[in-house]
Amino acid sequence: MKQIRKLGNVYAIPLPDGKYAYGRQYKDPCIGISKFISNKIIKKPDFSEIDFFVGVYNDVLTSGIWPKVCNYPFESEEEAWGPPMYIQDQLNPANYEIYYKGLIRKASKAECIGLERCAVWDSNHIIDRIMGNERWTEICK
């Protein structure tokens, strides 16, 4: 069933072990993945702790493979943005930039330490990461 992508939507992410993780739609193609995992789909999952933020392909959220379970509206415009992410130039790896709130600025490597790499992931990559397979984060270092 086709779903409409909307700010604040929460999606249940079916995991290979039969459990469910949850992602919340932020601005841009970014979702925050909650640390909360459940044995069945919960209509109002806990988002007090975010495990990681990552971009996700549009079809992952609109196709229905991750069913929408609720919508948590953001309290402010500021809260609706994910954290800053870094970009590393593949042709010149010494060049770094930071992407934040729709803008890109030049940055040093030191400024990028601890930030998530700016990328758009498919569902299987996100599920791998939730399940503890870090191969995708290693590729992005």
Side-chain angles (χ1 to χ4, degrees):
M1 174 187 222
K2 192 85 167 158
Q3 301 178 132
I4 296 175
R5 194 171 180 165
K6 183 179 173 188
L7 192 63
N9 277 359
V10 174
Y11 301 90
I13 304 168
L15 301 175
D17 63 1
K19 295 182 180 183
Y20 293 88
Y22 298 88
R24 184 180 183 201
Q25 175 70 58
Y26 284 72
K27 288 192 174 223
D28 290 331
C30 189
I31 61 169
I33 304 296
S34 175
K35 287 188 175 188
F36 177 76
I37 305 282
S38 63
N39 291 321
K40 61 180 183 175
I41 294 178
I42 304 292
K43 293 295 180 187
K44 295 236 176 202
D46 181 8
F47 269 85
S48 60
E49 292 184 74
I50 302 295
D51 192 13
F52 61 94
F53 287 87
V54 67
V56 64
Y57 288 116
N58 190 56
D59 67 308
V60 173
L61 302 182
T62 60
S63 68
I65 61 167
W66 291 2
K68 177 191 163 208
V69 295
C70 68
N71 183 286
Y72 285 154
F74 291 97
E75 292 183 18
S76 69
E77 174 82 12
E78 184 68 25
E79 185 189 12
W81 289 97
M85 296 182 176
Y86 80 92
I87 301 166
Q88 184 178 15
D89 188 327
Q90 294 302 302
L91 298 176
N92 187 349
N95 290 341
Y96 288 85
E97 297 173 314
I98 292 180
Y99 175 81
Y100 186 51
K101 294 183 178 179
L103 301 173
I104 298 173
R105 68 169 177 83
K106 295 225 177 273
S108 68
K109 182 177 181 177
E111 288 177 279
C112 298
I113 293 173
L115 299 181
E116 185 81 36
R117 186 177 201 138
C118 190
V120 180
W121 291 19
D122 209 341
S123 62
N124 61 312
H125 304 148
I126 295 170
I127 290 168
D128 280 349
R129 185 163 173 191
I130 293 167
M131 298 300 293
N133 183 337
E134 295 292 324
R135 68 181 168 173
W136 302 109
T137 56
E138 292 302 314
I139 290 169
C140 291
K141 286 186 179 173

